[in-house]
Amino acid sequence: MYTIRQASLRSGVSVPLIRAWERRYGVVDPERTASGYRLYDDRAIATLATMRRLVDDGWQPSTAAAAIRDGSAPAADAAPPRVAPEVESLGVRFVEAAARYDGRAIEAVLDEMLARGSFEAAVDRYLLPAAVALGDAWSRGEMDVAAEHAASAAVMRRLSAAFDAAALAAQGPAVVVGLPPGVRHELGALAFATALRRRGVGVVYLGPDVPIGSWVHAVQASGAAAAVIGAVMPADAAAAANVVAALRTADGSLRIAVGGTAAALVAAENVTVLPESIAESARVAERLLS
């Protein structure tokens, strides 16, 4: 077993980057000593080295991590996955504007993204991939966390405005949407809640980091017919499963779904796993109410 500094030397990945990849993407899950220090085995070292190689070869960290987790990480001479040129161009411009703290350029890119089709299409094709690219740039050390937060806040303002604008269309039984305790990455959850509201479904949006007891209270007090819990990263799966269990105990007839890139990792019975596409997820969630 190796300490994090030894793991860094053996894998070629800096200590801060190991911590970032572990927290953000769940590529390794080190053991902990009684004092809380991380310990890495040979398999973890190999995983970190593979992650480093893929990123060095041009892969986005999020894409590389997903390939490692599902066992599809390619051999050393494989090419990175292709990205549509216009998607990559907008994402690059967004990240570059964020790194410069250029508020006008950030807003201009967001305007261009949201003008390319319906809200759902723009979010699926441009907005969320750009947000992932933003996080990846931070993980590579290409921008300060303050720049990432500023750009993410700009995205949140756009999504919040779209959510509010969809209020007149919403009716019928309520669906409670939010994130489990400890989970704060809410762009996908708010985008999904907006898409669902645009389909005429009543949505109670709870936001990030909602305690388990508050989930139960929100469902009971609102008379919701369904609940959708977000699981963004692998580390979120356990918290999401705990929310599912509490809701199921409180109301056995409640329809429950889990969405987000880590939704398939939530170990719970009688729960619908939503597709990653915002548009498809909203359609599936609407069908849960019928």
Side-chain angles (χ1 to χ4, degrees), residues 11-13 17 21 25 27 45-83 136 139-140 142:
S11 65
V13 181
L17 202 51
W21 286 351
Y25 305 119
V27 292
I45 302 297
T47 297
L48 290 169
T50 299
M51 181 78 171
R52 185 208 67 214
R53 171 177 59 79
L54 293 176
V55 171
D56 288 347
D57 285 347
W59 288 61
Q60 296 292 342
S62 56
T63 305
I68 289 171
R69 288 196 304 269
D70 66 20
S72 65
D77 57 353
R82 298 177 63 86
V83 179
D136 289 344
S139 294
R140 293 192 298 266
E142 296 173 1

Side-chain angles (χ1 to χ4, degrees), residues 112-199:
E112 188 171 346
M113 290 178 182
L114 291 170
R116 296 193 174 199
S118 68
F119 170 83
E120 292 78 9
V123 167
D124 276 332
R125 186 165 177 80
Y126 302 107
L127 201 63
L128 291 185
V132 171
L134 187 72
D136 289 344
W138 171 80
S139 294
R140 293 192 298 266
E142 296 173 1
M143 70 171 63
D144 189 83
V145 68
E148 183 199 16
H149 286 183
S152 295
V155 176
M156 280 296 298
R157 291 192 297 272
R158 296 302 183 99
L159 294 177
S160 296
F163 181 80
D164 290 341
L168 294 177
Q171 58 186 339
V175 177
V176 173
V177 179
L179 298 170
V183 181
R184 296 180 174 83
H185 294 87
E186 65 171 316
L187 294 181
L190 182 54
F192 163 78
T194 302
L196 190 58
R197 209 176 197 188
R198 281 167 51 86
R199 297 185 69 83

